Every structure is written in C-alpha cells, then in structure tokens.
C-alpha cells in the first residue's frame, strides 16, 4: 500500500534507505514462496521517527537444520532478537556494549547468526545498531500470534520504538500496481500494557498496531546514480504535466507503467479470497467459543439452566446465583481474545487489499470498454 | 550509466564473457563508499553472485550483492582483512545461494584514465582468486562524479607468464549489463520516478493510469509514425524493426466483438461482486467488534 501524503503529522515515520529495501527485496524474492526475516539496522531519532540504513537477512529455520526448539518448519520464520545495549540513543550509542541480551524466541542457529553478523559489521564501522526486524509476508498475511509475540519482545527488550517492517513480494509483482508493497508497524502502548499485565481485557482491533509511514531516502551519490538510470525519452512528450523520465535501464522501457495496464484479475483475486475465507472460518470458530462461554455464564447465573427464570422440580423459582460477569470474563477460563483480534485485523487487511485492487481493475475495464466501443 | 563497453576480443571459455549487475550490488558498493572510514580514499570489497553458462559458450557472472572488506593501502601494497572476508562470505552463503565471484574497488580518480586498474590490483586479484570458486571478476565503480555518469566497468585478468613464471596480470575488459529481479526492478523504477518527480507529492490513482496510457499511446504513435515514414519512403526500411512490429501486431488476439464485450462485463461483474463481499465482510467485522465489546460488560 502506498503511504499517504505527508499530511499526517501524528504518524511516526520510518525513513529507510534504498539500499536496505533492496536487500530486503532481494532476500524475500530469492526465497519465495517461503517467508524470510531479518534485522533492520539504523538509528532511532526521537519517538516519532526511525531511520533504517541497512538490513540483513537471517537464514530460515528449516534451512538451518539445526536443533531448534520451535517446530513447524512450514510456518513463518520466527526471527530471533538480540538486544545490544541501549540502541535508542543517537550517535552516542556505545560501540562495545556489555553482554548482549538474547531473547529466546528463535532457533539458536539464528541467534548465533545475528550475533556474528553484528560483530563483523561493528569492525568495519558499519551500522550495527538494531532498530527492528523485518519479515516478508505472503499476499498481505501478517497478523499471526508469532509476529505479535516477537514484536512484543522486541519492544520490551530492545526499545520502545522497535519497528517491524513487512514486505510483500507476491503483491508487489502481482497486484499490477507498479509500486512495492511495504508496511511498517509498532505495537501500541495499550496493547503492550494489556499483554504484560496479563489481564484479559477487550481491545478494539484498530488500537493494536500503530502503522508507520515509510519514506525512502537515498544518499546523494545514489540519487546521482538514479538520475543516470533515467532513460531520457527520445519521443517528444505531450503537453501533459508528467515528468519526462519514466523508465530506467533496469526497467526495460518503462515497464512499470505498462504493468499497470494489465487486465488479468483472476489469479490475484482468487488467492485473496481463498485466504479470506480461511481466516473467516477461524474467526467464526473464535466467535463460537465466546458464545459458549457466555452461555455457560448464563447457566451459572440461572442456577444450572439456561433460561433466565426457571423452576426446579419443587416448583419454586430457582435461585439466581450471582455471577460477577466482569471478573469471569477477565479471569482464567475465559477464551483468549488474542486470536479473534488477530483474525479481525487480518480479515480487515484482506478486504482492503481486495477493494483497492478491484477499484483499479474497474477503472481499467471501463477504459478498455470505452476504447472498444469505437 | 554507461554500461556497454568493449567485450574482450578473445575469451577463453573459463573466463567470464559478460557480467550482469544487480542494483543491490551497485547500491551496496555505493553505500560502502559513503560510509567508509574517512582516512581511506578507496573501498575494496567482495562481490557475491552466481555463475552460469551462457548459451553461446563462455560464462555469465551474475553479481547479486556486495560487501566491503576492511583494507589498508600504503603506496603500492594493500592489506586486506582475510578473516572478515571469509566470515562474511560464510554468513552470506547461509542466507542466500550467492558465493563470492569477484571483487570490487571504487575509483576516486574517475575511469577515463588510460589505466584505471592500479598496480596493487594484481595482488588483490590473486587473493580473491583464492576465495572464489572460478576466476574472479574485478569491478571498478567510478565514484568521482566527474563525468556525467556513475559508471562501472568489469575486468577479468589473465596472467602473463614468461617461461612458466607468472609475472603480472593483464586485465581485459568484460561487458557489463544491468539486470534486476522483478521486485528490484519495480523498486528501482519507483525510486527513479520519485527522484525525478520530486515535486509531485500526491500521485492519484487516476494520474498513474493516465501516465501509463499516455506512455502506451506515445509508443504506438512512434511505431505507426515510423511505418508511415517507411511507406512514404522518407526512411530506409529496417527488416528487423518491421518484423518486431509485425510480431507485436500478431500478438493481439482477434476476438469477435461480442466475445470481448462479454469478457469485459464478466470481469467487471467479478470485481463488483468481490468489492461487495469485501464491504459486507468489513461490516460484519464491525458488528462482531461491537458485540465482543459489549459482551464483557
């Protein structure tokens, strides 16, 4: 999804260099269709903006074939976390921090990999400051319990401002948008507080993630290179107000522009709907759990039967047992709200994706229909 | 970027015949140059990639990424961090299938000189020959910004030996081509457009579609203009171009007019239905939200 115009001053901003994004892109595409993960390196300048200048990928759990405590090789990777000392500061971050704190949520293999990589980078004055992590997602699927868990541990142990960057290689190529699809998130304070306190409260789905705006910045020499890559259009431009440079040596004739004109809709829609229906099934399962629990509460309140007013064998009205509903809902045996919440958010994302895609498709179809009529 | 350069006249089958350069490699090299320690004027590093055999014989080296290796230069001698190089290569090998295929150096003095490859390069080249599986490729990137372009040139070395004693390396130039994966390509194009159109902060969807259509129209106009000119005799006919145009025209499927209309309306209905479903689902989600919120009270 393209980031909106820079009018939203309240949204935190993630400034990422083209180099870091290229590394992420290259890593993700190489390992399709499995998902990959890695670390983001950079600086965190203030509570509302994070700069990421580099990134590196971490080998897959399944490919590592090392002893890992986490099974499910076909699930998404669980990246490890490693917190160096105090990375939330600026250039004052100490070079040689004390012992690194390692959060155990990935295989030992990955943790060791990250440690070695950071050590090597430090020796060459490269960026060795972890500001977050990235993960590639498949067609917009990101709302899993593992992701939340990992991000939570990053935010608790690394810094408040740890960022997770999600790149979607499949959508970038297949959604005919001509732009890369990348999102960045943090968890809200509300969510982290609720999770750490262990109380089962209700949180509206909108307030779990803070979406961050992603801006791509490049150092000047790279921008000079980009100007060179511009293929100056030999044909005279029309009077339209479009800039003259559109393609690049890499792009084979402004191919990005022409991808937008692609009319095929079916494969993308089908895949999306498939995922959507799976998640809706999950959500309905969760909802039924809630229903069961509510019914159980009602039963207890009514003294063993579901009707609000019941008569037992002797014909007297059954006593109403007092049930402290709030305490029960927040108690131990209440169904876990997390999965329902995640399903909610994920389904919302799928719907948005499909809507956007359909919008664009409609415009193209109308254009073609109009051209055909002549 | 002046990517096309002379291909070496006689290429033995073991040395690379062309080098495909990914934007990530170039970006990594520039990044390393930008963040180099202030004392050094050049940056050296290793190139990672894959080697394939080209259909016409000869090797094609695909350079996917690169990283800088700490080095110190004093006059004609160069010291390279061997351990660093080995460890980084091992780490990189675990995440991707890329192996060392060569080395790069940035050239602060520009590439127009007669001898862009300094004397010390021989030693470095020999070192990297030991690291890479095949013969290494040497890439020089011009960072001086003197010319109009940031150019990169690739060289391969053949040892000159007299009576079996290797004296020096002769560097012959190899052709460099730009190559990118799908995602990389889209991103680079996006950057290029973002760079050039820096004044446009909001590009609406309709504008984007219009831009693409404009481009298409221009290309079509150019092709038909060329054909007109050839027919009128003002331009010599080029058979390869004519064939390309004929191929493009043949690729347009001929449909009955009704069939196309049916297809279009079918697609449109699909899209509308999916949109309706999407909005319906979102409404249901909102209801579910409200219910879950009130149930707890």
């Amino acid at each position: 999804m393209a980031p909106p115009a820079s009018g939203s001053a309240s949204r935190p901003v993630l400034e990422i260099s083209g180099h870091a994004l290229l590394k992420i892109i290259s890593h993700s595409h190489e390992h399709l269709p499995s998902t990959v993960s890695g670390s983001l390196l950079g600086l965190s300048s203030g509570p509302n903006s994070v700069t990421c200048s580099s990134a590196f990928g971490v080998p897959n759990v399944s490919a590592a074939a090392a002893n890992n405590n986490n099974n499910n090789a076909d699930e998404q990777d669980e990246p490890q976390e490693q917190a160096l000392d105090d990375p939330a500061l600026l250039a004052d971050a100490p070079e040689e921090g004390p012992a690194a704190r390692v959060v155990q949520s990935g295989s030992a293999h990955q943790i060791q990999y990250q440690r070695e990589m950071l050590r090597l980078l430090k020796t060459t004055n490269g960026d060795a400051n972890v500001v977050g992590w990235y993960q590639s997602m498949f067609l917009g699927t990101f709302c899993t319990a593992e992701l939340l868990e990992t991000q939570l541990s990053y935010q608790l142990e690394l810094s408040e401002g740890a960022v997770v960057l999600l790149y979607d290689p499949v959508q970038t190529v297949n959604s005919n948008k001509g732009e890369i699809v990348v999102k960045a998130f943090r968890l809200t304070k509300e969510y982290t507080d609720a999770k750490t306190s262990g109380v089962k409260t209700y949180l509206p789905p909108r307030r779990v993630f803070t979406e961050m705006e992603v801006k791509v910045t490049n150092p000047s020499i790279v921008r000079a290179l980009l100007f060179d890559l511009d293929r100056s259009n030999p044909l005279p431009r029309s009077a339209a107000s479009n800039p003259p440079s559109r393609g690049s040596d890499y792009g084979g004739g402004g191919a990005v522009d022409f991808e937008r004109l692609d009319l095929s809709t079916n494969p993308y829609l089908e895949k999306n709907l498939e995922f959507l229906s799976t998640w809706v099934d999950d959500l309905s399962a969760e909802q039924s759990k809630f229903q069961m629990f509510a019914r159980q509460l009602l039963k207890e309140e009514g003294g063993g039967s579901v009707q609000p007013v019941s008569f037992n064998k002797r014909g007297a009205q059954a006593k109403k047992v007092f049930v402290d509903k709030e305490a029960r809902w927040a108690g131990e045996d209440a169904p876990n709200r997390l999965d329902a919440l995640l399903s909610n958010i994920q389904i919302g994302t799928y719907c948005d994706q499909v809507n956007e895609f359909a919008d664009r498709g409609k415009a193209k179809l109308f254009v073609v229909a109009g051209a055909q009529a002549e | 970027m002046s990517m096309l350069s002379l291909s070496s006249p006689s290429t033995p089958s073991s040395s690379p015949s062309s080098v495909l350069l990914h934007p990530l490699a170039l970006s990594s090299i520039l990044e390393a140059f930008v963040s180099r320690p202030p004392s050094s004027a050049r940056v050296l590093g290793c190139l990672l990639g894959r080697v394939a055999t080209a259909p016409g014989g000869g090797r094609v080296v695909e350079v996917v990424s690169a990283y800088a290796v700490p080095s110190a230069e004093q006059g004609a001698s160069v010291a390279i961090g061997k351990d660093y190089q080995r460890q980084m290569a091992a780490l990189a090998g675990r995440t991707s299938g890329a192996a060392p295929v060569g080395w790069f150096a940035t050239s602060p003095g520009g590439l127009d000189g007669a001898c862009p490859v300094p004397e010390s390069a021989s030693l470095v080249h020999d070192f990297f020959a030991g690291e890479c599986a095949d013969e290494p490729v040497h890439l020089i990137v011009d960072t001086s910004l003197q010319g109009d372009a940031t150019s990169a040139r690739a060289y391969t070395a053949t040892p000159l030996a007299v009576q079996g004693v290797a004296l020096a390396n002769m560097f012959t130039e190899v052709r460099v081509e730009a190559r990118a994966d799908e995602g990389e390509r889209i991103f680079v194009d996006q950057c290029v457009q973002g760079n050039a159109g820096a004044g446009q902060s909001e590009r609406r969807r309709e504008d984007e579609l219009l831009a693409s259509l404009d481009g298409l129209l221009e290309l079509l106009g150019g092709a038909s203009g060329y054909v007109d000119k050839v027919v009128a005799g003002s331009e010599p006919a080029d058979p390869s171009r004519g064939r390309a145009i004929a191929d493009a025209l043949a690729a347009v499927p001929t449909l009955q007019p009704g069939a196309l209309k049916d297809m279009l309306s079918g697609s449109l209905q699909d899209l509308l239905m999916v949109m309706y479903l999407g909005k319906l689902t979102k409404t249901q989600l909102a209801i579910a939200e409200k219910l879950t919120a009130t149930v707890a009270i």
Side-chain angles (χ1 to χ4, degrees), chain A residues 19 30-31 57 113 120 180 202 223 225 228 230 245 248 250 256-257 259-260 287 329 352 354 358 360 372, chain B residues 1 21 27 84 87 91 95-97 148 150 185 189-190 192 195-196 212 260 274-275 282 288-289 295:
Chain A
H19 174 238
E30 192 173 343
H31 290 282
Y113 182 95
L120 281 183
I180 56 164
Y202 171 72
R223 295 180 68 174
L225 172 65
D228 295 333
D230 263 346
S245 53
S248 65
Y250 281 107
V256 167
D257 289 342
E259 258 170 25
R260 287 202 203 104
Q287 294 286 33
W329 273 108
D352 288 335
V354 160
R360 273 179 281 128
Q372 191 60 27
Chain B
M1 171 186 303
L21 190 61
S27 157
Y84 182 91
Q87 284 167 351
L91 285 183
T95 43
S96 72
D148 276 344
T150 312
R185 183 173 60 77
D189 277 339
Q190 186 186 346
V192 163
N195 217 14
S212 307
L260 185 62
V274 167
M275 275 184 79
K282 285 205 92 161
E289 235 181 273
V295 122

Side-chain angles (χ1 to χ4, degrees), chain A residues 142-144 202-209 276 279-280 282-284 286-287 290 337-352, chain B residues 281-293:
Chain A
F142 65 93
C143 245
T144 55
Y202 171 72
L203 205 62
R206 259 177 316 283
R207 294 218 286 265
V208 172
F209 286 115
L276 191 59
W279 282 80
V280 167
D282 286 340
L283 184 63
S284 65
E286 294 293 321
Q287 294 286 33
F290 279 113
R337 293 172 187 276
L338 184 65
D339 292 328
L341 201 55
L342 292 177
S343 304
N344 215 319
I345 303 179
Q346 186 59 62
I347 295 177
T349 318
Y350 282 140
C351 289
D352 288 335
Chain B
T281 318
K282 285 205 92 161
T283 321
Q284 293 283 343
L285 282 182
I287 296 180
E289 235 181 273
K290 296 279 187 301
L291 283 179
T292 331

Side-chain angles (χ1 to χ4, degrees), chain B residues 76-91:
Chain B
S77 62
V78 180
I80 305 186
K82 230 193 297 184
D83 294 326
Y84 182 91
Q85 146 67 21
R86 296 228 171 96
Q87 284 167 351
M88 266 303 237
L91 285 183

Side-chain angles (χ1 to χ4, degrees), chain B residues 120-138:
Chain B
S120 47
S122 272
L123 305 161
V124 185
H125 200 84
D126 287 334
F127 165 65
F128 274 98
E131 303 285 318
C132 309
D134 277 323
E135 251 188 64
V137 163
H138 175 38

Side-chain angles (χ1 to χ4, degrees), chain A residues 263 358-374, chain B residues 209 213 264-265 267-269 271-272 275:
Chain A
L263 279 183
D359 264 340
R360 273 179 281 128
K362 261 194 319 187
K364 284 184 260 182
L365 284 177
F366 278 127
V367 165
V368 172
Q372 191 60 27
E374 290 156 25
Chain B
L209 194 57
L213 287 175
L264 289 179
S265 59
S267 285
L268 194 60
Q269 281 180 359
L271 287 179
L272 287 174
M275 275 184 79

